[in-house]
Amino acid sequence: MTRHLRVDGPTHDDRLDHMAQGILGQPLNRLEGPLKVTGRAAYAAEARPANMVYGVLVQATVPAGKVLEIGDAPGALAVIQDRRMVRYAAQGMDQKGPTSGPDQIEYMGQAIALVVAESFEDARHAAQNISVRYKVSSVPVEPEAVTPELPPKKQSAAGDVDKAMREAAVTLDQVWHTPSQMSAAMEPHAAIAEWDGDQVTIRAALQMLSSNRKQMADALGIKEQNLRLLSPYVGGGFGSKLGINAEAVSAAIAAKELGRPVMVAMTRQQVFDLAHRRSETRQRIRLACDADGRLTGIGHEVLVSNLPSSEFTEPVAQATPFTYQAAHRQVVHAVARIHRGCAGSVRAPGEAVGVTVFECAMDELAEAAGIDPVELRLRNIPDVEPTTDRPFSSHKLAEALREGARLFGWSNRKPTGQQVEREWMIGMGMAAAVRVNMLVESRARVTLNQDGQAVVETDMTDIGTGTYTILGQLAAEMLGLPIEQVEVRLGDTNFPPASGSGGSFGAASSGNSVYLACEEIRSQIAKAMDCDEADLTLQDGMARAGNVARPLSDLIDGQISGEGHLQPGKTEKSHRQATWGSHWAEVAVNRWTGEVRVRRMMGVFACGRVLNEKTARSQCLGGMTFGIGIALTEAMEHDSRDGHAVSRDLAEYHIPTHADVPALEVHFLPERDAYVGPLQAKGLGELGICGAGAAVLNAIHNACGVRVRHLPATPDKIVAGLKD
């Protein structure tokens, strides 16, 4: 039996707050943790089917044009150049494969062929030495070198921002630049493909199997039912594994041609070339306010880039329309079509860089208006979504700001800095945090056996976020079982299709489907108990209703099973859904070298029901660290002559390391959002990024008076500002 739910209205049932087990929300260790730390959790490239051979991708060495001829590869079993090979990665939730045809080159580094050999070393040597003849085209690679597009659906305006700027008591009009960024997940992209007749099984590092299956079937030209994807463990994704990419498609093509399993694993440099980058941005922020700090005008003009053939554009201003109130508003979203590696979703697409810049602008406006930065934000929080008058499903920004200020000791901040410890200048900064919230269709199956063991099955993935544990806790809570009696099986397209891991919607969407499946099982038990499901209590292997108590084993004949099917509904359009928070940072800036040391950092977050306090906190810690990287270190540089990625490994692309990250502090605000399904939980992982970098950058200004508007704030830029 399947229990369906379309979220068309609020769910005020707080039953999960009153379950007998009390497991949900607890800071349980990850169920799969021991497997990972002992090396027993097999990732995509770690399977070893019999007779397997190795493939290495050949990459284009010109920025655009056409492949005329590919030479032989001595020592190789085959050189695969198939029209079905994709040019770049698919986006998450795409239903079709991305643009194919390796002979047409769109950017330097594009995969144009696959060399297969008996060993990885032989395949790599052949791929690196193969000769390729091109017809080269001249193409633009710099965003400023082209006339950008203005997609109509991306523009919005109300009132007259120019007039608001002319008439305001205080204004701000500044331009910020953020560089391209890369997901840089720990596990590189990899796939192993194996055919059995017309059936293919692909082990791959993927985040969203239900849509990945459609993409892969479309790319290969086969039926979905002939394809099985396996991704039980994924070593991080951050958006880079939302869609299929060249390694999986080429492995499947080669395995079919050779009649042997083929593994293709990208090198770190290939990941930087072939996985989605976050687009660089140019952002002009215009703000106008009256003498009391009430915003009258908001302008956010954005320039991003992507390939001519890709539909995705970084939604930089996604949160701008609803974060703060102003009568006059304008969002301009421009897209430069250039020939760099494909831009796509990187963790918290849009808000990661858009909120960061906007919150820096709010800090500047507060200083110009002579108003405390926290107070300025509090005065401009809207009661309803400004552009549509929709109500918010929940709104915790004001509480996050006030509670954060109290916990961090904001009242001790000196507005003009001037706190000095030897050669270090000390400052404090803050920023609001906001991220859109989404529900995505999801299914799950739960089976309860007579011996009291439960099994959860869904093709949902765990990319390091704690999905195994969260879904296990939820099933244990609903069925009254110890967590040890719940087995969670993930990452297999033979299981019911889930939302996948992306956009911070994975835990809530898949969790709601598990909730519904367990509710269906509870209904079957209640029928056997001759009671209403709402009156049923399950605990310690016993079912109780009123004065009747019976062992579950007496009520189950072998096993009972239930499926849950969640669909987003009317509440997506009737209410603005978002998550909220605030970021706080204290930094020290060296007056001679410009070095920045983050000394303290804290986040306060509201995300609906917290499903596991430990994994939730871990997600926030990762997000805040991501924010430190945005502010201080991360920049994916491109050669202005041919567009190729220059900083294409972890030696040149600088992510924050242990020495860069202080002890981070995380606090959660109690919240239940009735408009996001019975779980009343919302996304969290990406919220921890949005605005975190702004808190660091604002703290730098408070410490030393330097505003860095061309991110990241590296020492050379700070020293130049100190000289000025």
Side-chain angles (χ1 to χ4, degrees), residues 175-218:
V175 175
W176 280 260
H177 293 266
T178 65
S180 284
Q181 295 162 359
M182 177 53 62
S183 297
M186 183 179 292
E187 178 197 23
H189 293 57
I192 298 175
E194 186 173 9
W195 289 82
D196 182 5
D198 62 354
Q199 303 287 316
V200 61
T201 298
I202 304 175
R203 299 170 177 85
L206 295 167
Q207 294 180 225
M208 304 183 71
L209 295 193
S210 57
S211 59
N212 298 151
R213 190 184 192 191
K214 297 182 189 309
Q215 297 162 6
M216 185 68 68
D218 182 65

Side-chain angles (χ1 to χ4, degrees), residues 143-323:
E144 308 290 348
V146 299
T147 300
E149 298 175 359
L150 293 169
K153 293 183 179 180
K154 296 284 187 178
Q155 321 305 318
S156 65
D160 188 337
V161 174
D162 292 333
K163 180 182 178 182
M165 293 291 286
R166 290 193 301 270
E167 297 177 353
V170 184
T171 62
L172 173 85
D173 187 347
Q174 293 288 354
V175 175
W176 280 260
H177 293 266
T178 65
S180 284
Q181 295 162 359
M182 177 53 62
S183 297
M186 183 179 292
E187 178 197 23
H189 293 57
I192 298 175
E194 186 173 9
W195 289 82
D196 182 5
D198 62 354
Q199 303 287 316
V200 61
T201 298
I202 304 175
R203 299 170 177 85
L206 295 167
Q207 294 180 225
M208 304 183 71
L209 295 193
S210 57
S211 59
N212 298 151
R213 190 184 192 191
K214 297 182 189 309
Q215 297 162 6
M216 185 68 68
D218 182 65
L220 295 175
I222 63 175
K223 296 178 180 179
E224 274 188 64
Q225 57 264 36
N226 292 346
L227 169 65
R228 183 185 186 189
L229 296 178
L230 295 172
S231 296
Y233 301 103
V234 182
F238 309 119
S240 70
K241 299 167 184 172
L242 287 174
I244 63 169
N245 208 335
E247 84 287 349
V249 177
S250 62
I253 294 170
K256 184 66 171 178
E257 183 169 321
L258 295 172
R260 299 173 65 178
V262 175
M263 180 174 79
V264 181
M266 291 189 192
T267 64
R268 180 63 66 185
Q269 291 81 7
Q270 287 177 328
V271 171
F272 273 79
D273 291 336
L274 296 167
H276 288 316
R277 64 181 176 92
R278 192 197 302 279
S279 171
E280 73 295 317
T281 76
R282 185 188 72 204
Q283 301 182 52
R284 180 191 181 195
I285 306 289
R286 292 189 293 164
L287 299 174
C289 71
D290 62 21
D292 294 326
R294 309 284 180 181
L295 286 168
T296 56
I298 294 175
H300 197 166
E301 300 173 27
V302 174
L303 175 66
V304 297
S305 74
N306 210 341
L307 292 167
S309 58
S310 177
E311 295 181 3
F312 175 88
T313 63
E314 180 82 16
V316 176
Q318 189 165 239
T320 302
F322 65 86
T323 306

Side-chain angles (χ1 to χ4, degrees), residues 288-577:
C289 71
D290 62 21
D292 294 326
R294 309 284 180 181
L295 286 168
T296 56
I298 294 175
H300 197 166
E301 300 173 27
V302 174
L303 175 66
V304 297
S305 74
N306 210 341
L307 292 167
S309 58
S310 177
E311 295 181 3
F312 175 88
T313 63
E314 180 82 16
V316 176
Q318 189 165 239
T320 302
F322 65 86
T323 306
Y324 300 113
Q325 178 70 274
H328 304 279
R329 328 171 59 86
Q330 184 181 42
V331 171
V332 178
H333 184 93
V335 186
R337 296 297 179 181
I338 61 173
H339 291 260
R340 292 181 179 177
C342 191
S345 296
V346 176
R347 199 175 189 201
E351 291 97 328
V353 287
V355 171
T356 294
V357 165
F358 201 95
E359 288 298 304
C360 287
M362 287 292 285
D363 197 73
E364 287 202 45
L365 184 70
E367 182 183 35
I371 300 172
D372 180 84
V374 176
E375 182 59 31
L376 178 71
R377 289 164 172 83
L378 289 170
R379 292 180 188 181
N380 289 286
I381 295 175
D383 295 323
V384 295
E385 185 176 38
T387 53
T388 65
D389 289 334
R390 286 189 299 176
F392 291 97
S393 65
S394 69
H395 205 304
K396 290 282 189 175
L397 179 55
E399 187 177 341
L401 291 169
R402 292 191 176 101
E403 183 68 0
R406 183 186 70 81
L407 292 170
F408 198 68
W410 183 253
S411 60
N412 297 323
R413 172 183 177 267
K414 296 181 180 180
T416 57
Q418 305 303 315
Q419 183 178 346
V420 179
E421 296 177 5
R422 299 181 300 278
E423 73 268 32
W424 297 95
M425 298 174 284
I426 315 301
M428 293 169 61
M430 59 77 55
V434 56
R435 168 71 175 157
V436 296
N437 183 71
M438 297 170 280
L439 276 180
V440 173
E441 184 175 8
S442 197
R443 294 176 182 264
R445 178 170 54 245
V446 177
T447 301
L448 179 60
N449 297 315
Q450 192 171 25
D451 62 2
Q453 300 290 319
V455 178
V456 178
E457 294 174 317
T458 171
D459 80 359
M460 179 64 185
T461 52
D462 190 327
I463 58 174
T465 48
T467 309
Y468 279 101
T469 310
I470 290 167
L471 298 187
Q473 285 179 266
L474 180 56
E477 190 73 84
M478 289 290 288
L479 301 178
L481 302 173
I483 189 69
E484 296 79 14
Q485 290 178 215
V486 179
E487 179 186 359
V488 181
R489 300 172 182 171
L490 303 177
D492 186 339
T493 52
N494 281 353
F495 300 152
S499 62
S501 298
S504 292
F505 51 65
S509 299
S510 65
N512 272 305
S513 63
V514 170
Y515 176 98
L516 294 170
C518 291
E519 201 171 43
E520 173 58 32
I521 290 176
R522 289 175 59 90
S523 293
Q524 295 179 44
I525 296 172
K527 184 177 181 180
M529 287 283 289
D530 194 24
C531 69
D532 291 336
E533 189 269 326
D535 297 328
L536 178 68
T537 297
L538 299 179
Q539 187 178 20
D540 300 330
M542 298 292 295
R544 294 180 174 86
N547 295 323
V548 178
R550 295 179 63 185
L552 276 177
S553 57
D554 291 350
L555 302 170
I556 299 173
D557 184 11
Q559 61 180 215
I560 54 177
S561 182
E563 292 202 13
H565 178 203
L566 176 89
Q567 290 180 292
K570 294 178 181 178
T571 60
E572 272 202 325
K573 295 182 178 179
S574 66
H575 287 70
R576 161 51 65 189
Q577 297 181 17

Side-chain angles (χ1 to χ4, degrees), residues 114-166:
L114 181 77
V115 174
V116 185
E118 291 287 351
S119 71
F120 168 73
E121 291 78 11
D122 286 344
R124 179 180 59 184
H125 179 77
Q128 290 175 342
N129 290 281
I130 199 168
S131 62
V132 183
R133 191 163 61 87
Y134 304 97
K135 179 182 178 181
V136 182
S137 301
S138 178
V139 292
V141 298
E142 287 290 327
E144 308 290 348
V146 299
T147 300
E149 298 175 359
L150 293 169
K153 293 183 179 180
K154 296 284 187 178
Q155 321 305 318
S156 65
D160 188 337
V161 174
D162 292 333
K163 180 182 178 182
M165 293 291 286
R166 290 193 301 270

